[in-house]
Amino acid sequence: MSRGNDKYRPKIVVIDDDEATRLSLEQMLKLRGYGCETFISAEAALAWPGLPDVDSIIVDVKMPGMDGEEFLSEIIRRNYPPPLIMITGHGDVSMAVRCLKTGAYDFVEKPFEDDVLLASVARACEKTSLKREGDELRRRLNMYTAAGEERFGMVGRCRIMQDVFEQIEVAAKTDLPVLIIGETGTGKELVARAIHSLSSRSKGPFIAVNAGALPENLLESELFGHARGAFTGADKARDGKLVTASGGTLLLDEVESISAAAQVKLLRVLEDGLVYPLGKDEPQRVNIRLLATTKINLQELVRDGIMRRDFYHRIFVFSIMVPPLRDRAEDIPLLIPHFIKLSAGRNNMPVPEVPERILETMLRFPWPGNVRQLKHTIEKMVITSSNRVIGNFSEDIDFDSSRLLSLPVTPGRLKNELEKTEKAVIEQVLRENSGEINLTAQTLGISRRALYERMKKYNLPKEHFRN
């Protein structure tokens, strides 16, 4: 049994108040290659922090203090995973049945043959091993979602999105302002949230303000706060978003909508960390990291005198371009099943099938509203699905066939993309298990026959994966 490439010795915990039994079991287990920890009581074992990570637990039923049955209940309450083997010399069949129904893995009666207990321990350790491998597979499959290219809540296999992911990681290592540029619906806020979550400010607040949705006077109040009576309707003092975001990140969406007066005030905040609320003379000190988004070329606003040049250079220290969906069309086959699955889960519905003709049309559609439009369209299609077949695409949005993308779309394109993913996962698990068919099939959760069929389909002979 192994974890990765390192030899792994399964660890067993033995709990028994009888010293001779503890020592005997410890010696027997170590001679068979197991690691072993022994405890005189259930209470002592529960106090050991390594208990949840062992491969199996052997516990005597009759002990002073907490007995084996009570220990079983506590293990279940704590949701500890190791299989529990219970031993007793009292031959209580009704108790054995009760414990097995409660969740014990096995029940061995004293006096027992060593081989009987060792066989039970081996099965329990195998169960733990398979569970760990299954958990690792689920973790890996989550990473493999959309061919392993889902990161920061965004899906993208294409080179341009991989560049975006790399830029996010670089930006997160600094505390500099970042300007995120992209069309509406491309996922600029997701980029901002990813930068925040990876940064040293991740435990601080993330506050988003849509500058384009607020009139100039309300925007300044929203950002900087105001004193009571600062303007009509200001019946009480209020902290602005800059104060609320202190210690974290402020996202200024549609930064091109910021007035010249607000630009000057923001410059002061960025340079000296001082916020002057409307109607107050005394400033408040803040510590924020500014992220801004825009869908237009800010240099044109600078040339037209709408945006201050010093403000532009202050926020344009580091920039990330988020591509429109039409420039990353190869990601559409990944995004479609991704959003279908998410939508079906949100609406507590079975995942519907997608007819090939609908897929072909969706793959060629230009998606002027970008990923947001694709996501919302799929939401509607899932909700209107019937007999586990997704709703009609052309009925859900304004469809103009003249705007179809000129992509090399062929029947079965989505199927081909998904098969690439399946092949990659099977190949990876075969490699990790050195081509061992039983373990690979168990890890993948499919039958041996299904695994052989897929290996034949993808030309993956097991001999290629043997060490």
Side-chain angles (χ1 to χ4, degrees):
M1 190 176 302
S2 63
R3 284 183 180 174
N5 296 321
D6 301 324
K7 192 68 177 176
Y8 173 68
R9 294 179 65 205
K11 180 169 284 189
I12 313 300
V13 160
V14 173
I15 309 170
D16 199 310
D17 61 309
D18 182 71
E19 183 177 7
T21 302
R22 287 199 313 276
L23 292 175
S24 174
L25 288 174
E26 181 181 20
Q27 183 179 27
M28 178 184 70
L29 290 166
K30 287 185 174 179
L31 285 173
R32 299 307 196 281
Y34 294 100
C36 188
E37 293 284 341
T38 65
F39 296 92
I40 195 172
S41 68
E43 292 88 347
L46 288 169
W48 183 49
L51 188 64
D53 299 320
V54 301
D55 294 81
S56 182
I57 302 171
I58 301 173
V59 60
D60 191 17
V61 172
K62 298 295 183 181
M63 295 185 295
M66 179 183 287
D67 64 21
E69 194 168 359
E70 292 170 329
F71 177 76
L72 170 63
S73 297
E74 182 62 18
I75 287 291
I76 292 172
R77 188 189 70 80
R78 297 190 184 191
N79 198 30
Y80 284 179
L84 198 69
I85 300 170
M86 309 188 76
I87 57 175
T88 182
H90 298 273
D92 191 336
V93 177
S94 62
M95 181 184 62
V97 172
R98 186 168 63 247
C99 290
L100 290 171
K101 285 183 176 179
T102 301
Y105 177 73
D106 202 357
F107 198 102
V108 179
E109 186 177 355
K110 295 179 182 178
F112 50 79
E113 297 288 337
D114 288 357
D115 289 345
V116 173
L117 181 60
L118 286 169
S120 181
V121 169
R123 291 194 302 271
C125 290
E126 182 67 15
K127 177 182 178 181
T128 299
S129 176
L130 291 174
K131 182 181 184 304
R132 285 184 180 137
E133 288 166 356
D135 290 343
E136 174 62 18
L137 175 67
R138 281 187 287 274
R139 184 193 67 80
R140 194 185 307 120
L141 285 177
N142 286 336
M143 296 172 61
Y144 267 99
T145 299
E149 304 303 345
E150 181 183 2
R151 298 174 66 188
F152 319 126
M154 292 171 278
V155 172
R157 177 192 291 170
C158 67
R159 180 66 257 173
I160 192 170
M161 282 304 294
Q162 295 302 308
D163 290 341
V164 170
F165 296 153
E166 291 173 7
Q167 288 177 304
I168 287 172
E169 292 177 334
V170 171
K173 295 175 183 178
T174 77
D175 211 30
L176 297 171
V178 179
L179 182 63
I180 306 166
I181 307 166
E183 297 178 7
T184 299
T186 51
K188 298 188 292 296
E189 184 169 336
L190 286 176
V191 172
R193 289 184 180 275
I195 294 171
H196 171 75
S197 65
L198 292 176
S199 74
S200 59
R201 295 175 174 267
S202 60
K203 293 183 179 179
F206 177 89
I207 305 296
V209 178
N210 188 339
L214 294 170
E216 180 179 332
N217 60 327
L218 290 182
L219 175 62
E220 289 198 34
S221 172
E222 186 77 7
L223 284 175
F224 303 101
H226 59 258
R228 181 181 179 183
F231 52 85
T232 302
D235 54 351
K236 60 180 180 180
R238 180 189 176 193
D239 286 335
K241 297 299 187 184
L242 286 162
V243 173
T244 306
S246 188
T249 303
L250 177 76
L251 171 63
L252 203 51
D253 197 17
E254 297 187 29
V255 69
E256 66 271 13
S257 304
I258 299 289
S259 67
Q263 291 173 38
V264 173
K265 292 183 178 181
L266 269 174
L267 272 172
R268 180 182 295 173
V269 175
L270 294 174
E271 290 171 1
D272 58 23
L274 297 178
V275 173
Y276 287 83
L278 299 178
K280 280 188 178 181
D281 295 328
E282 292 297 321
Q284 292 177 266
R285 184 165 292 279
V286 297
N287 175 17
I288 65 160
R289 197 255 179 98
L290 180 68
L291 305 178
T293 73
T294 184
K295 57 180 179 288
I296 67 174
N297 186 345
L298 296 184
Q299 288 181 320
E300 295 180 1
L301 298 186
V302 174
R303 284 196 297 268
D304 295 340
I306 298 172
M307 177 169 285
R308 293 175 58 96
R309 188 174 298 275
D310 51 358
F311 180 72
Y312 168 75
H313 287 299
R314 193 69 178 82
I315 65 173
F316 196 69
V317 179
F318 189 95
S319 66
I320 297 177
M321 295 286 298
V322 187
L325 192 51
R326 62 182 175 276
D327 288 351
R328 44 180 294 226
E330 65 188 89
D331 286 338
I332 296 177
L334 311 178
L335 290 161
I336 291 173
H338 175 72
F339 287 138
I340 288 175
K341 183 178 179 181
L342 289 180
S343 179
R346 275 195 304 270
N347 293 286
N348 196 27
M349 299 172 64
V351 177
E353 297 180 2
V354 187
E356 196 72 29
R357 59 179 179 80
I358 292 180
L359 281 177
E360 291 179 26
T361 305
M362 293 179 74
L363 290 171
R364 299 178 64 195
F365 190 73
W367 301 108
N370 296 298
V371 178
R372 181 185 298 162
Q373 182 188 17
L374 175 62
K375 180 181 178 181
H376 290 171
T377 299
I378 289 175
E379 186 87 25
K380 296 176 185 177
M381 295 171 71
V382 169
I383 292 172
T384 58
S385 61
S386 177
N387 297 321
R388 302 196 69 169
V389 176
I390 202 162
N392 198 313
F393 171 64
S394 61
E395 293 176 356
D396 286 322
I397 62 173
D398 181 18
F399 176 66
D400 179 0
S401 60
S402 66
R403 294 186 295 155
L404 288 175
L405 292 175
S406 299
L407 298 174
V409 178
T410 58
R413 179 179 174 188
L414 180 61
K415 180 181 177 183
N416 292 339
E417 294 294 339
L418 295 178
E419 286 180 346
K420 288 179 184 177
T421 301
E422 183 179 57
K423 179 183 178 182
V425 174
I426 293 173
E427 191 171 10
Q428 177 72 13
V429 179
L430 279 167
R431 185 176 294 109
E432 292 178 357
N433 292 323
S434 301
E436 211 288 311
I437 298 300
N438 283 337
L439 186 54
T440 299
Q442 290 172 349
T443 304
L444 292 169
I446 60 178
S447 67
R448 286 167 52 91
R449 178 179 177 181
L451 176 59
Y452 274 122
E453 288 175 351
R454 285 166 172 79
M455 290 170 65
K456 181 178 179 181
K457 175 180 179 181
Y458 300 129
N459 190 24
L460 299 173
K462 62 183 179 182
E463 291 77 13
H464 289 182
F465 302 95
R466 288 176 176 169
N467 293 331

